[in-house]
Amino acid sequence: MPELDTINRQLAGLDRTKKAKMLVVDDEPDNLDLLYRTFRRDFQVLKAESGVRALELLESEGEVAVIISDQRMPEMKGTEFLSRTVPQFPDTMRIILTGFTDVEDLVEAINSGQVYKYITKPWDPGELKAVVQRAAETYDLLKQRTEELRRSQAQTALLSAIVRTAQESTSLEQSLTPIATAFGKNFQADGCVLQVVEGNHLVATQGTYSANGTLEHWLEHDPLVKQAIAAQTTQVAVNIPADTDLAAIEHYVASGVQAHLLIPIIYRDEVLAVLSLQWYRPSTLREDELVLLHLSAQQVALALTCTRYYRPVA
């Protein structure tokens, strides 16, 4: 995949801007502000003054890498709050701050896996930073292993779907939507289009997938499509709002697409189709996913060729 280095440089630039999310919970404003100032350089820090408010924040913001919670709070104890986060966010690392001896609650929380570590108050900033750093590394490792398993399963499912489509479809048109759906779901895209190319130009024949049920059709106006077909190479924009060449293009503004990847489907130097993957967020693809996309595109080329020239026996 000759364009892999170029794409990886784009992704690396995007990754440098990201900070892991962290939630700090304390009913005392001074302590809450101190925790925020301690970690704001290294994390995207969310603040909550109670367990109830913290649960509301998690509902709206989603998973965080680390939660630091005070134990003694009026509405809900820290251990109770943390226990409520376990079912939805099992990988999150939970740290509790305690200024009193509540051994039974702490032992139960730690033994049940609800708390990663407890820190006694007044806490030492250096010690707390070290604990949080180890917790964040543990979280990253857990997410990496989970993601590797998911990707392995998804890769098998994707290749199986392509092969099954080639075997079961009796026409080119019939094969397009199942393939687009398999790619869209596998790479968690908001939209996916597999559109046929003839004579280096898009034709109307296409298959589509949309995560929310609607998808606008604008590939014929997109400069990445033209480049993918002309150069016969993958084209990608990992963060369209930050791309001066693409940010003002009407269909990107109207659709809300923030990342777009175009793969030409090629067989014997002929572009048979283009595969468009679209996300409403900046790209989170990794190198192994890009390689899988490249290899899978070759399988799609074979599948389309088979269905294109298939003639049922009379």
Side-chain angles (χ1 to χ4, degrees), residues 59-273:
E59 186 67 28
S60 61
E61 294 287 340
E63 185 171 274
V64 299
V66 180
I67 299 174
I68 300 178
S69 175
D70 187 31
Q71 168 66 353
R72 180 172 286 181
M73 295 185 291
E75 293 182 346
M76 183 188 304
K77 289 193 296 186
T79 47
E80 181 185 352
F81 154 64
L82 292 176
S83 69
R84 293 192 183 189
T85 69
V86 174
Q88 190 173 0
F89 307 111
D91 293 335
T92 293
M93 296 291 106
R94 301 165 182 84
I95 298 169
I96 198 156
L97 303 177
T98 179
F100 65 100
T101 305
D102 195 356
V103 177
E104 289 186 6
D105 281 347
L106 292 176
V107 169
E108 181 182 354
I110 292 170
N111 287 344
S112 63
Q114 296 170 1
V115 172
Y116 169 77
K117 186 83 172 178
Y118 78 88
I119 302 291
T120 56
K121 298 164 85 173
W123 43 272
D124 175 77
E127 178 190 2
L128 185 56
K129 279 187 173 182
V131 169
V132 168
Q133 182 60 38
R134 290 195 297 271
E137 291 170 356
T138 302
Y139 171 82
D140 287 341
L141 182 60
L142 284 172
K143 299 306 289 185
Q144 180 181 337
R145 289 177 177 173
T146 301
E147 186 63 14
E148 286 172 354
L149 177 60
R150 185 196 70 79
R151 284 189 174 130
S152 177
Q153 294 171 335
Q155 178 178 350
T156 301
L158 176 60
L159 296 177
S160 296
I162 296 171
V163 171
R164 184 170 62 253
T165 298
Q167 292 174 334
E168 297 176 356
S169 298
T170 58
S171 68
L172 177 64
E173 293 78 8
Q174 187 182 2
S175 68
L176 300 176
T177 294
I179 293 175
T181 300
F183 273 88
K185 289 183 176 180
N186 185 84
F187 294 100
Q188 300 178 346
D190 294 293
C192 182
V193 181
L194 180 60
Q195 188 160 354
V196 173
V197 172
E198 293 180 0
N200 285 338
H201 296 284
L202 292 175
V203 298
T205 306
Q206 63 182 234
T208 62
Y209 162 80
S210 174
N212 63 11
T214 60
L215 191 68
E216 298 178 31
H217 303 290
W218 38 255
L219 292 188
E220 66 271 20
H221 306 300
D222 192 79
L224 296 181
V225 175
K226 295 180 174 64
Q227 293 170 24
I229 295 173
Q232 296 193 3
T233 57
T234 295
Q235 303 294 317
V236 63
V238 301
N239 188 9
I240 290 170
D243 189 318
T244 55
D245 294 328
L246 301 176
I249 292 179
E250 182 179 351
H251 57 258
Y252 284 128
V253 175
S255 66
V257 170
Q258 295 191 18
H260 192 195
L261 186 143
L262 259 298
I263 304 173
I265 307 300
I266 303 168
Y267 183 73
R268 293 186 176 177
D269 294 326
E270 178 188 0
V271 179
L272 306 179

Side-chain angles (χ1 to χ4, degrees), residues 29-48:
D30 289 344
N31 287 341
L32 199 59
D33 288 340
L34 180 56
L35 287 168
Y36 175 80
R37 292 195 303 271
T38 300
F39 294 103
R40 65 181 178 180
R41 292 184 182 275
D42 300 315
F43 292 87
Q44 179 185 341
V45 184
L46 309 174
K47 298 190 297 182

